[in-house]
Amino acid sequence: MTSRLFKVLVTHPEVPKQVLDTLKQKCEVIVCKNVPPLKSEVLEKIQGADAILWAHYQPLNGEILDAAGSQLKAVSTMSSGIDYVDIAEFKKRQMPLGHTPRAVNNSVADIAIGLMISAGRLFHEGRRMIETSQWETDRHDWLMGQEISDSTVGFFGFGGIGQVIARRLLSFDVKKIIYNTRTKKPNEADFNASHVAFDQLLSDSDFIIVASPLTPETKGIFNAEAFAKMKPNCVFVNVARGQIVDQHALYNALKKRQIFAAGLDVTTPEPLPSDDPLLSVPNCIILPHVGTSTAQTTIKMGNIAVQNILNALEGKPMVAPAY
């Protein structure tokens, strides 16, 4: 008598085919069909699942785990950040939870460097001036930007993504890399980086890159007081989570030219409404959270999530456990 295949629910239909094919070699795979995923469909199809590949950003909590049933053995997200997951609930149930942190490092680092350049050199403001016939040719100070070379770059958060960004920045001949984290990084010498207090990060940085997880401690930490401590030439870049920033305070800082410019790949909410005040300031470039949106990264994320699930179903440690 043959044993049954493990049943795995995949919550998004656009997980790459080659990722699903790997999973189908060992499991019965049920795929949700709606884009965006509907909670009602997830709750219906999740019943009896042995594992879940959570491939979207809606809340992952006790309600979902209860709907699956007591046979559920493992869950893996297909993301690096897991601020939408009720970690305490998973720990209480001793439910294995995986995520895909290292897979996103290169693509998010590329976006961060792109935002540093495009915000620092006022790409968006320049484009708007072309569109409104305000291209000026006689002023030497017109659209004067900020260079990365010989600058002090500050990181709020210096984990995997931050360190990949820092490695790329070494080739830009930056003057100094500083970072603020809860503890000093043992490998900071690899990047000629120095651990500093939060206030020093704000006051010393020509560029500030937010690459930190969203936690109760980091939520809203970049507020009006923080922006007031930054240099007037500071370029602020956020590739982490929108809620780390008080966007009204950021709007005011940009509108008053209290800081030089900002580049954002993440906002609150997402999607950002078309009438949001941040879209009205010329010195702010905003992307629609595309930091991980490359074919290579999506496949890497999917493969890690699948391996997390297969390992857990076989009684082995996940390759990327979330806790």
Side-chain angles (χ1 to χ4, degrees):
M1 180 176 174
T2 58
S3 59
R4 72 174 183 87
L5 293 175
F6 286 117
K7 177 181 175 181
V8 179
L9 176 71
V10 177
T11 65
H12 200 292
E14 294 176 354
V15 172
K17 180 179 181 298
Q18 65 198 80
V19 172
L20 294 179
D21 287 345
T22 299
L23 194 56
K24 287 176 181 178
Q25 291 176 13
K26 295 187 176 181
C27 302
E28 175 191 358
V29 178
I30 309 298
V31 182
C32 290
K33 301 300 182 185
N34 288 283
V35 179
L38 298 176
K39 182 179 178 181
S40 57
E41 183 186 12
V42 171
L43 291 176
E44 175 189 350
K45 292 184 175 179
I46 206 171
Q47 297 174 34
D50 297 291
I52 308 167
L53 198 166
W54 196 261
H56 64 297
Y57 294 97
Q58 294 175 12
L60 177 52
N61 51 30
E63 180 186 10
I64 300 297
L65 301 181
D66 287 339
S70 59
Q71 79 296 322
L72 185 69
K73 298 174 180 63
V75 180
S76 182
T77 71
M78 195 171 147
S79 66
S80 175
I82 50 173
D83 47 278
Y84 55 90
V85 182
D86 187 342
I87 301 294
E89 187 66 28
F90 273 80
K91 289 181 177 179
K92 183 178 76 174
R93 299 180 187 224
Q94 298 183 316
M95 175 64 63
L97 173 68
H99 65 151
T100 62
R102 295 177 299 277
V104 307
N105 291 356
N106 285 326
S107 58
V108 176
D110 289 350
I111 284 287
I113 298 293
L115 286 171
M116 291 177 71
I117 295 171
S118 57
R121 298 300 301 273
L122 301 173
F123 283 9
H124 180 60
E125 187 168 359
R127 171 62 184 264
R128 284 175 56 158
M129 288 186 169
I130 294 172
E131 292 174 343
T132 54
S133 300
Q134 297 181 68
W135 188 329
E136 300 185 33
T137 59
D138 298 325
R139 287 176 50 190
H140 289 296
D141 63 348
W142 186 65
L143 288 179
M144 195 72 71
Q146 303 292 330
E147 290 187 26
I148 297 175
S149 62
D150 202 35
S151 68
T152 295
V153 180
F155 286 85
F156 183 70
F158 202 56
I161 291 173
Q163 291 186 14
V164 172
I165 298 169
R167 186 173 294 112
R168 283 162 164 68
L169 287 175
L170 294 177
S171 66
F172 282 79
D173 297 324
V174 297
K175 178 172 65 177
K176 187 189 300 183
I177 290 175
I178 58 178
Y179 68 96
N180 175 256
T181 55
R182 284 178 294 182
T183 58
K184 185 177 180 178
K185 297 294 183 180
N187 63 336
E188 66 176 22
D190 295 343
F191 310 96
N192 297 320
S194 302
H195 185 264
V196 298
F198 183 60
D199 279 358
Q200 185 177 348
L201 182 87
L202 299 175
S203 64
D204 289 4
S205 299
D206 300 302
F207 290 82
I208 291 178
I209 301 172
V210 182
S212 166
L214 174 63
T215 68
E217 292 74 29
T218 64
K219 184 176 181 180
I221 194 169
F222 286 95
N223 53 23
E225 181 180 356
F227 289 117
K229 294 177 180 178
M230 294 180 190
K231 293 180 177 182
N233 69 299
C234 185
V235 177
F236 180 78
V237 171
N238 187 6
V239 293
R241 286 291 186 266
Q243 292 180 7
I244 297 174
V245 179
D246 178 340
Q247 288 182 182
H248 181 68
L250 174 60
Y251 165 76
N252 286 332
L254 291 166
K255 183 75 173 177
K256 298 173 183 176
R257 302 282 175 164
Q258 191 175 24
I259 65 172
F260 186 77
L264 311 175
D265 186 41
V266 289
T267 59
T268 304
E270 292 179 354
L272 191 68
S274 60
D275 60 352
D276 189 278
L278 275 176
L279 293 169
S280 69
V281 286
N283 52 339
C284 184
I285 184 164
I286 303 176
L287 302 179
H289 202 159
V290 293
T292 62
S293 296
T294 69
Q296 298 94 322
T297 290
T298 303
I299 290 169
K300 286 179 186 176
M301 292 166 69
N303 286 338
I304 292 172
V306 165
Q307 200 57 55
N308 280 337
I309 287 171
L310 293 178
N311 279 21
L313 291 176
E314 295 171 4
K316 302 174 183 176
M318 290 183 166
V319 295
Y323 63 87

